[in-house]
Amino acid sequence: MFKFSGKPLRERKRAVKSFTLCGAVLTVGMSLFVLLGESTPVSVDHSRGTSASEISVARREIQAAFGDRYDVTGAKVMEQEPTAKLLISFDGPGMAELSWPDATRLTVQLEASDIPGPNSYSLDPAPPAPRGKEAAYKIAVQYVKERYPWALTAQHHETHPVGEKAAFGWITSWRWVRNDVLMPRSIDVQVNRAGRISQLLVNQAPGELDLPKPTVTEEEVENLVRHRFASRSSTVSAVTLRAEKRGGAWRAEWRVAITESNKEPVLVWVDAQSGRAWETPPV
């Protein structure tokens, strides 16, 4: 449970953890790319040639995250629906994706193994290997102080193990909330068992938005989705109330999960004021 303004704030996280990193416990071997639906397409190439400006932006973002530790060797725009992504390659293992053209959301996977290797990012001086989540949290805090100090203004932070018995380390998540609506800004730092940064997600979207107060309650949104989209055997649960960008404008939307036995959950988005529902994710 997160703490917000000195009082408990229940995160609506009853659905499968792949819907949100906020309060999620990662499964063995699962990367930030898989968790967030950020996997790189491999079957169809919708890429186009890279310009000098794209390489420049890629290098700027990777340097902001890790200094001169990694050399960016390429950047390619993938024209995907609903938004494009800039795929960033290094001179060694690892990969990164940057939302494009806004360049606000950076996802980096340096290592995805439960055996820490040389490609994960070490602080200077290198801290001792963490033995638990408190030590891993301190390393994550030290990292964001150096690279993304604005993370420490977040109302929430929480640290969870990654994999069975924290085989892949621990991930610390920072989140912002305004009027009980989860804001789009976020940062997630994964620290491996050696005390080095192995994965990173940085979303520099707004941390404060003045949105109309939601009028559709959690119970009402679950009833609406159950009536319009779910079968009698389905389980319907509101996952989060968060700010989403749809049609170029920010709005508060409920993210609702529909679950049937032995099937992957399906998401529905519902406007928290009008009750209008979408089966497609925000753009």
Side-chain angles (χ1 to χ4, degrees):
M1 183 176 291
F2 289 108
K3 298 292 183 180
F4 174 52
S5 300
K7 298 179 181 179
L9 176 68
R10 183 171 61 87
E11 249 304 292
R12 299 173 178 89
K13 56 187 179 185
R14 290 169 291 171
V16 170
K17 45 193 163 285
S18 59
F19 296 146
T20 174
L21 271 173
C22 192
V25 178
L26 312 196
T27 57
V28 175
M30 185 173 286
S31 72
L32 291 177
F33 287 87
V34 176
L35 262 173
L36 297 166
E38 297 287 340
S39 54
T40 301
V42 295
S43 57
V44 180
D45 187 359
H46 295 293
S47 61
R48 59 174 173 79
T50 305
S51 68
S53 65
E54 289 158 0
I55 286 284
S56 176
V57 171
R59 286 176 175 158
R60 180 194 71 198
E61 296 301 319
I62 296 302
Q63 188 169 47
F66 307 111
D68 297 325
R69 171 68 171 80
Y70 305 99
D71 183 21
V72 173
T73 57
K76 179 182 289 188
V77 174
M78 296 294 293
E79 302 286 1
Q80 288 183 281
E81 293 295 336
T83 58
K85 297 173 184 176
L86 187 67
L87 305 186
I88 303 170
S89 55
F90 305 132
D91 58 350
M95 57 181 174
E97 292 180 357
L98 184 65
S99 60
W100 197 257
D102 63 357
T104 60
R105 182 186 179 100
L106 175 69
T107 310
V108 184
Q109 183 186 79
L110 299 172
E111 291 181 349
S113 171
D114 60 348
I115 302 175
N119 203 55
S120 47
Y121 177 77
S122 178
L123 300 176
D124 185 18
R131 295 188 176 183
K133 74 174 187 177
E134 292 301 325
Y137 168 67
K138 290 180 180 178
I139 294 172
V141 168
Q142 184 181 346
Y143 170 77
V144 297
K145 277 184 178 179
E146 295 177 3
R147 296 293 170 183
Y148 302 100
W150 49 263
L152 301 180
T153 68
Q155 291 95 344
H156 302 318
H157 68 81
E158 192 164 285
T159 303
H160 286 284
V162 185
E164 186 177 357
K165 296 182 180 179
F168 293 82
W170 296 264
I171 189 163
T172 298
S173 302
W174 286 268
R175 295 294 185 270
W176 285 255
V177 168
R178 187 176 178 86
N179 298 326
D180 290 337
V181 178
L182 187 65
M183 294 289 106
R185 172 165 291 197
S186 64
I187 182 166
D188 300 276
V189 179
Q190 184 171 322
V191 175
N192 63 20
R193 301 287 302 198
R196 299 192 291 269
I197 310 303
S198 58
Q199 300 196 49
L200 173 71
L201 186 144
V202 181
N203 190 338
Q204 300 193 60
E208 287 191 11
L209 291 167
D210 289 320
L211 302 174
K213 185 177 180 180
T215 57
V216 180
T217 68
E218 179 177 352
E219 182 180 1
E220 289 171 339
V221 78
E222 289 181 348
N223 288 337
L224 181 152
V225 171
R226 188 177 293 110
H227 176 72
R228 291 184 55 185
F229 299 99
S231 66
R232 290 185 178 180
S233 60
S234 300
T235 299
V236 175
S237 58
V239 184
T240 54
L241 174 61
R242 59 179 294 153
E244 305 282 14
K245 199 170 189 178
R246 192 180 293 275
W250 291 103
R251 67 181 74 220
E253 291 185 3
W254 286 100
R255 219 180 257 202
V256 185
I258 304 172
T259 309
E260 293 196 34
S261 58
N262 301 321
K263 291 184 179 180
E264 289 294 321
V266 175
L267 279 182
V268 175
W269 291 262
V270 180
D271 190 294
Q273 268 206 307
S274 68
R276 180 180 177 185
W278 293 269
E279 293 180 274
T280 55
V283 176

